[in-house]
Amino acid sequence: MSIFGKSIVELTRLVQEKKIGKRELFEYFKKRIAKYNPNLNVFITLPEYKEHVNYGSLLGIPLAIKDNFCTKNIRTTASSKVLDDFIPPYESTVTQKLLNEGAGILGKTNMDAWAHGNSTETSDYGPTRNPWNINRSPGGSSGGSAAAVSAYLSPAAIGSETAGSIRQPASWCGIVGIKPTYGRVSRYGVVAMGSSLDSPGPLTLTVEDSAYILKILAGKDPYDATSSPVPVQDYLSIMKQKKKFIIGFSDEYFEGVNEEIKTKILAALDIFRRLGHTTKKIKLISPKYAISVYTIIQRAEVSSNLARYDGIRFGNDRRSFGSEAKRRLMFGAYTLSYGYYDAYYKKAQKVRTLIIEDFKRVFSEVDAIVAPTCPITALKLGEFKKYPFFGEIMDVLNEPGAVAGLPAINIPVGLDSSSLPIGLQIMGRHFEEGSLLNLAHQFEKETEFFGIIKKGLEKYKDE
Amino acid sequence: MNSFIPFIGLEIHIELKTKSKMFCQCSANYFKKDPNSHVCPVCLGLPGALPVPNKQAVEWTMLVGKALNCTINPTSKFDRKHYFYPDLPKGYQISQYDEPFAINGKVRMQNTEYGIQRVHLEEDTGKLTHSGENTLIDFNRSGVPLMEIVTEPDFHNSEEVKKFLEELQVIIRYVRVSDADMEKGSMRLEPNISLSLTGELPEYKVEVKNINSFKFVKQAIDYEIKRQAEILDKGEIPPQETRGYSELEHATYSQRFKEQAHDYRYFPEPDIPPMKFSPQEIGKIVEHIPELPMVKILRYTDKLKLKYQDAYIITRSRMLSEYFDSIVTHLPEEAQKVANLMIHKRIHSDLSPEEFIKKAREIFTPISTDMNILSEKINQVIHANSKAVADYNSGKQNAIMYLVGLVMREMKGKADAKTVRQELEKAIKK
């Protein structure tokens, strides 16, 4: 029985039909990790095999979990030396839900330290390498999770996004990644970055897998006051419906975008039209304004959220903070200081409201917005130093949606001339992840993502 | 020496006696529990833990707001207040900054009215114990709901402050949200004091932190008034600062000056969505507010014609006053007598109201005395106790009570003590 490249949905069936053993599946990935991880540096911690329950919709499925999800008795570092010895005494809601469905924790994946960055280069455990080209960055901050899926070191992975941290690495590693609506998936037990923005979500090989996992993760959590009571959609059945949408696209989201990417996104829009959807040019506030809003709000929240690592607990003191975390702490503390609060934080919140209103207006005209996920494809490791704010510019197209709390999905739509994946994102209305999955699935069925996901796996085939 | 008008405002912290803590499900009852036995990821501030507000604590804060005649805000939110201290595990305290649950209240005491600026809710910190070179942290108290009441600077002497605080303590106990026990630390006091020559509120103020008795608040205020007056007399202005109070030296001492004041970097707590309350919801929360002590005193003195002092004593405890109410409804004409019985514990208030009423009625109704039997028994007692009679005759007044007692025993209690004494005296004099 060949396991290689099989989706979660396929593997679940094989386990249920007892064609593969749970342990066997775990060991299969363990072996692949032993082989490829030294080169790719995807995992920080690899726990032993452990059975939790003997039933559930993810029975026997090993999953890679970003290292900012607290996992009981499994070291959780958020890729920072400050938490080098931290073994959580409790389980995050997300991982608890997965374990309750029979999934296993395969490993904890590398990320930018504290999720500060979009290359995994701020990790205190060294950068993860892009499976497409190991001299390139996988993106970040969920870079380890994206690389794990792209090289099939895990059949799927869990990541988290504050602004771009799921979509951008999914885009650079040529896989599917969905950032749910803020409040759709519980943040309980996720090492906080930007509390008003953080959204956990899956990174997968297929749209169906994203729908399948999201259905398990979504819902109101009594431990997260910001989680939403809005009923969870039946993503799998909505995904398969023959729906027609009005898709918006905005010139503002093509400014400064690499030509090759532009071409592929426009080609994708043609495909959507061919599938019977209507496309419509819309006008949105330029995403560049979202950068300042996002930067101020996120840094302010970071400066507050990192205050607890004061050296009294968790083993290591503040000297263990990397330079990016220190920069963010200083920046955030400054914007919240007496006399500056109104000029920065309060103003940022006002502009945030404008951005939310702007999307609201547009979503009364269209059902979804299509845009490039990233203005460029995977950068070379080390290249980020050229960009201010550790490449906040990389997430310029993700930040407006993040600031507005919108759901968005990344799908691969092509390769550039360096044979690096290009990602397209679909943004939707709050809590309408179903529509995004439906559109993405229609595109997937029509194009099979041009064989990009298969091509990515090729290099990592079993012998 | 100039004569100054002191301006005194108060910040009062009160721990609410909810079952669970403010933002987690740990038990809030930490008193004398093993260190760090009532803790969880939330109140330990572990990475990824999130606060979920305690509904009961929110409602109780509104209830207190209402009891202090405040306006209950239809919208409110929590904020983060940042400072570093080892007993504060998150590096910030979840508190309320610009939208507290209740604002603009007042407390009326006899002829004076004191303004209440705000009532808000926050979380308590852990507790540090210093022993030798080590400091130990107990997080059992971390996250216990802590209500803060801030008054206007409407007080002008320490006696007024003491009276107000005593009244406030009674109000808090009436609404049953806290024991407001100073010794257990569930009520903590912080007066701020400044002196004015003109009668205008001065521009500086001195805060005295964390005092745990009414007596010490009074002493601290008196000390500050004297200290500040001496500075002002020299033509200087006392620096704005935070001071502590030493119970041993009966003196305040400087802790930190304005320049060293914290910049708390307040911002809205992103982990807790803003709250909205409809008038119906607020109405429902505050509907169970009991009749408060000051109102009760008025009713007792006006309607029941009780002496003020007695009304005051009975209203100090909600339980006692409600007990009194349940008895007085059956004995409306005898309110003052009931009050006497209760205050002097002639009938114990442990009894059920029914039993109390029965006993009270017995006391109020004079016992009919059979005069023939009485005269017979008196003669017997006089004959059998010639020494006591002689004592009485020689001026020992106490002896009569002994004889009354003996007669009462002979009468098996079926006699009115007053009548017995009169008749006994008559018989001896014969």
Side-chain angles (χ1 to χ4, degrees):
Chain A
M1 173 65 56
S2 165
I3 295 171
F4 184 78
K6 289 211 154 49
S7 71
I8 294 285
V9 173
E10 287 168 325
L11 292 174
T12 308
R13 201 172 306 133
L14 292 174
V15 173
Q16 274 160 3
E17 290 167 2
K18 300 212 158 50
K19 289 185 176 149
I20 323 172
K22 290 175 281 178
R23 179 98 204 206
E24 181 193 349
L25 195 55
F26 192 89
E27 297 304 335
Y28 169 82
F29 286 103
K30 259 293 200 353
K31 241 161 85 188
R32 290 182 55 78
I33 291 166
K35 186 170 172 191
Y36 295 111
N37 195 50
N39 258 338
L40 296 174
N41 194 30
V42 163
F43 291 98
I44 296 180
T45 304
L46 291 159
E48 292 299 306
Y49 177 74
K50 196 175 164 203
E51 285 199 22
H52 296 271
V53 291
N54 203 19
Y55 46 81
S57 52
L58 286 171
L59 185 61
I61 304 299
L63 292 172
I65 311 289
K66 188 177 181 181
D67 206 27
N68 57 349
F69 289 83
C70 282
T71 41
K72 192 173 178 175
N73 299 329
I74 300 171
R75 182 172 79 135
T76 299
T77 69
S79 282
S80 169
K81 286 284 178 194
V82 173
L83 292 180
D84 195 37
D85 308 318
F86 178 58
I87 296 169
Y90 80 110
E91 195 74 50
S92 75
T93 297
V94 161
T95 48
Q96 189 61 58
K97 283 185 164 187
L98 297 170
L99 296 175
N100 289 349
E101 290 297 329
I105 294 171
L106 183 60
K108 303 294 294 289
T109 59
N110 195 20
M111 55 188 277
D112 285 282
W114 308 108
H116 297 169
N118 38 25
S119 68
T120 74
E121 286 173 294
T122 68
S123 168
D124 287 341
Y125 300 87
T128 295
R129 291 164 183 276
N130 191 321
W132 285 79
N133 178 340
I134 60 164
N135 296 317
R136 303 261 172 180
S137 162
S141 65
S142 311
S145 286
V149 177
S150 161
Y152 208 59
L153 303 189
S154 179
I158 302 299
S160 70
E161 169 159 339
T162 308
S165 278
I166 288 174
R167 285 173 276 174
Q168 183 253 12
S171 158
W172 283 13
C173 291
I175 56 167
V176 178
I178 183 162
K179 175 238 178 262
T181 309
Y182 178 77
R184 179 73 298 174
V185 176
S186 168
R187 296 182 291 118
Y188 187 71
V190 185
V191 179
M193 205 262 257
S195 306
S196 70
L197 299 147
D198 294 345
S199 312
L203 295 105
T204 60
L205 291 174
T206 67
V207 176
E208 189 179 27
D209 278 1
S210 275
Y212 194 76
I213 294 174
L214 186 59
K215 174 81 186 157
I216 293 165
L217 302 185
K220 174 78 187 163
D221 178 9
Y223 290 99
D224 178 356
T226 61
S227 66
S228 170
V230 172
V232 176
Q233 297 179 306
D234 184 354
Y235 303 127
L236 279 171
S237 70
I238 293 175
M239 183 191 86
K240 287 169 188 160
Q241 288 164 12
K242 289 199 171 71
K243 289 186 170 233
K244 296 284 177 269
F245 293 99
I246 303 172
I247 300 170
F249 63 102
S250 159
D251 282 345
E252 287 82 6
Y253 281 70
F254 289 88
E255 273 170 36
V257 171
N258 169 287
E259 281 304 318
E260 285 186 276
I261 295 174
K262 227 185 250 179
T263 312
K264 294 288 182 192
I265 304 296
L266 292 176
L269 275 169
D270 279 338
I271 292 167
F272 280 120
R273 277 190 282 269
R274 203 165 75 213
L275 288 166
H277 304 289
T278 312
T279 59
K280 189 175 171 185
K281 204 164 196 182
I282 49 167
K283 201 157 169 49
L284 277 165
I285 293 177
S286 169
K288 69 183 177 200
Y289 295 109
I291 294 185
S292 20
V293 171
Y294 171 75
T295 304
I296 288 167
I297 291 171
Q298 180 253 92
R299 262 69 164 175
E301 291 175 358
V302 161
S303 75
S304 175
N305 287 331
L306 294 188
R308 69 189 60 190
Y309 307 106
D310 53 9
I312 291 170
R313 301 165 303 152
F314 311 116
N316 294 318
D317 68 21
R318 284 180 271 192
R319 275 171 297 188
S320 301
F321 276 120
S323 50
E324 179 63 13
K326 285 179 191 161
R327 252 198 302 276
R328 291 190 188 206
L329 279 165
M330 294 302 291
F331 188 107
Y334 177 79
T335 60
L336 290 178
S337 294
Y338 187 77
Y340 295 94
Y341 178 84
D342 286 357
Y344 295 107
Y345 189 83
K346 209 161 183 183
K347 197 167 190 181
Q349 288 293 14
K350 282 182 187 158
V351 181
R352 185 179 197 172
T353 306
L354 291 179
I355 292 172
I356 293 170
E357 292 301 319
D358 192 43
F359 275 118
K360 214 180 243 172
R361 175 184 59 77
V362 166
F363 278 122
S364 67
E365 299 167 25
V366 301
D367 303 306
I369 300 167
V370 157
T373 302
C374 200
I376 51 173
T377 53
L379 279 175
K380 288 196 185 105
L381 287 167
E383 247 186 310
F384 277 85
K385 289 199 185 92
K386 293 194 291 199
Y387 296 88
F389 289 126
F390 244 87
E392 208 70 84
I393 197 81
M394 254 10 99
D395 281 325
V396 59
L397 305 175
N398 298 319
E399 286 173 2
V403 160
L406 301 175
I409 190 168
N410 172 79
I411 52 174
V413 292
L415 296 177
D416 70 0
S417 48
S418 316
S419 199
L420 293 168
I422 292 168
L424 167 146
Q425 64 168 320
I426 312 166
M427 290 174 264
R429 299 186 188 103
H430 289 133
F431 302 107
E432 287 188 11
E433 284 80 1
S435 305
L436 308 185
L437 290 160
N438 182 292
L439 264 173
H441 186 60
Q442 289 192 31
F443 190 90
E444 182 186 35
K445 268 205 312 199
E446 177 69 15
T447 62
E448 291 189 338
F449 296 138
F450 313 104
I452 293 164
I453 290 175
K454 272 206 186 100
K455 187 167 191 278
L457 294 171
E458 200 96 338
K459 256 202 277 182
Y460 300 90
K461 234 176 181 166
D462 296 324
E463 277 137 25
Chain B
M1 180 132 169
N2 292 304
S3 86
F4 297 103
I5 304 164
F7 278 82
I8 307 159
L10 302 166
E11 282 178 25
I12 303 117
H13 282 97
I14 289 165
E15 264 183 2
L16 300 178
K17 59 173 182 188
T18 49
K19 279 206 181 75
S20 56
K21 290 187 182 180
M22 188 57 228
F23 298 113
C24 61
Q25 290 160 4
C26 290
S27 164
N29 177 14
Y30 65 88
F31 193 66
K32 287 189 170 161
K33 296 290 187 298
D34 286 344
N36 300 309
S37 60
H38 288 186
V39 294
C40 76
V42 177
C43 55
L44 286 173
L46 293 188
L50 298 172
V52 178
N54 183 328
K55 206 173 155 227
Q56 179 82 86
V58 170
E59 293 183 357
W60 280 359
T61 305
M62 291 180 169
L63 195 65
V64 169
K66 196 71 196 168
L68 303 180
N69 301 301
C70 291
T71 305
I72 308 300
N73 272 331
T75 60
S76 191
K77 66 178 171 70
F78 285 101
D79 299 276
R80 292 185 181 180
K81 176 183 179 179
H82 299 85
Y83 63 93
F84 285 107
Y85 209 68
D87 64 10
L88 189 68
K90 297 188 295 296
Y92 57 84
Q93 179 189 34
I94 304 176
S95 180
Q96 296 193 282
Y97 183 51
D98 51 357
E99 287 181 46
F101 286 118
I103 50 165
N104 296 337
K106 57 178 184 286
V107 173
R108 218 186 151 73
M109 291 178 65
Q110 289 179 282
N111 300 321
T112 325
E113 208 170 79
Y114 302 106
I116 304 293
Q117 218 174 72
R118 55 188 282 156
V119 183
H120 77 246
L121 191 53
E122 55 191 34
E123 54 177 338
D124 212 341
T125 60
K127 201 169 183 174
L128 300 181
T129 312
H130 305 283
S131 69
E133 287 193 346
N134 298 315
T135 296
L136 303 169
I137 314 179
D138 176 8
F139 287 110
N140 283 350
R141 197 180 67 180
S142 169
V144 167
L146 196 60
M147 184 176 64
E148 183 173 327
I149 299 166
V150 183
T151 76
E152 298 292 347
D154 287 347
F155 303 89
H156 301 294
N157 63 62
S158 63
E159 188 52 39
E160 246 186 329
V161 168
K162 187 165 171 276
K163 279 200 177 133
F164 169 83
L165 289 171
E166 281 164 354
E167 185 65 21
L168 181 67
Q169 189 183 41
V170 173
I171 293 172
I172 297 299
R173 289 174 177 170
Y174 258 63
V175 293
R176 294 184 174 147
V177 302
S178 172
D179 299 331
D181 187 328
M182 313 276 276
E183 274 171 22
K184 285 187 189 169
S186 55
M187 184 168 178
R188 289 166 237 163
L189 316 167
E190 294 173 7
N192 53 73
I193 304 120
S194 48
L195 303 188
S196 164
L197 195 55
T198 58
E200 303 258 311
L201 189 65
E203 281 187 6
Y204 79 95
K205 69 178 178 187
V206 174
E207 255 182 88
V208 187
K209 284 284 185 194
N210 265 326
I211 306 183
N212 61 1
S213 93
F214 295 145
K215 194 174 98 189
F216 294 145
V217 167
K218 196 168 167 345
Q219 288 173 359
I221 291 170
D222 289 338
Y223 181 87
E224 269 307 303
I225 290 174
K226 197 163 155 265
R227 187 185 70 87
Q228 291 178 28
E230 282 165 12
I231 296 172
L232 288 160
D233 275 334
K234 281 189 269 179
E236 293 163 21
I237 291 170
Q240 174 128 346
E241 61 177 327
T242 302
R243 297 176 75 86
Y245 179 72
S246 160
E247 296 157 17
L248 291 175
E249 292 170 34
H250 304 292
T252 65
Y253 57 89
S254 186
Q255 284 182 326
R256 75 177 175 255
F257 290 99
K258 191 183 180 185
E259 299 74 48
Q260 296 155 290
H262 291 299
D263 179 350
Y264 291 120
R265 305 194 310 278
Y266 279 104
F267 83 106
E269 167 57 277
D271 289 333
I272 304 172
M275 293 156 284
K276 274 188 189 151
F277 306 97
S278 69
Q280 289 77 11
E281 282 171 302
I282 295 173
K284 219 169 160 198
I285 292 165
V286 301
E287 76 182 353
H288 296 300
I289 215 154
E291 187 186 26
L292 293 169
M294 278 300 165
V295 181
K296 262 188 199 291
I297 288 181
L298 276 183
R299 179 163 66 83
Y300 289 176
T301 50
D302 285 5
K303 297 238 170 78
L304 299 177
K305 305 292 174 208
L306 247 57
K307 279 185 259 169
Y308 177 84
Q309 197 49 37
D310 294 339
Y312 182 82
I313 292 170
I314 289 171
T315 53
R316 292 307 88 192
S317 146
R318 175 173 166 186
M319 229 167 57
L320 188 66
S321 69
E322 284 179 351
Y323 184 67
F324 176 75
D325 286 340
S326 66
I327 289 161
V328 164
T329 40
H330 298 284
L331 297 167
E333 301 303 319
E334 322 272 7
Q336 181 63 55
K337 284 190 193 166
V338 171
N340 292 344
L341 292 177
M342 210 173 269
I343 291 165
H344 302 298
K345 296 201 166 70
R346 287 196 45 209
I347 303 176
H348 210 277
S349 31
D350 281 352
L351 297 177
S352 72
E354 292 73 32
E355 286 174 288
F356 190 106
I357 291 164
K358 207 176 136 217
K359 287 214 163 194
R361 281 202 170 120
E362 279 169 17
I363 291 170
F364 298 156
T365 323
I367 296 165
S368 61
T369 316
D370 186 323
M371 298 305 281
N372 289 333
I373 302 175
L374 179 63
S375 135
E376 187 187 315
K377 298 290 177 194
I378 285 176
N379 285 334
Q380 281 173 19
V381 167
I382 289 176
H383 283 295
N385 294 280
S386 49
K387 187 176 181 293
V389 173
D391 283 351
Y392 176 68
N393 281 332
S394 68
K396 287 190 180 158
Q397 288 292 318
N398 283 343
I400 195 75
M401 286 322 289
Y402 171 68
L403 294 168
V404 168
L406 291 175
V407 174
M408 286 301 282
R409 202 164 67 194
E410 289 297 318
M411 292 297 288
K412 299 200 166 75
K414 284 184 178 161
D416 177 54
K418 232 173 165 178
T419 316
V420 171
R421 183 172 177 156
Q422 281 167 7
E423 292 302 311
L424 193 59
E425 280 170 343
K426 260 195 256 169
I428 292 172
K429 276 174 192 150
K430 262 184 204 165

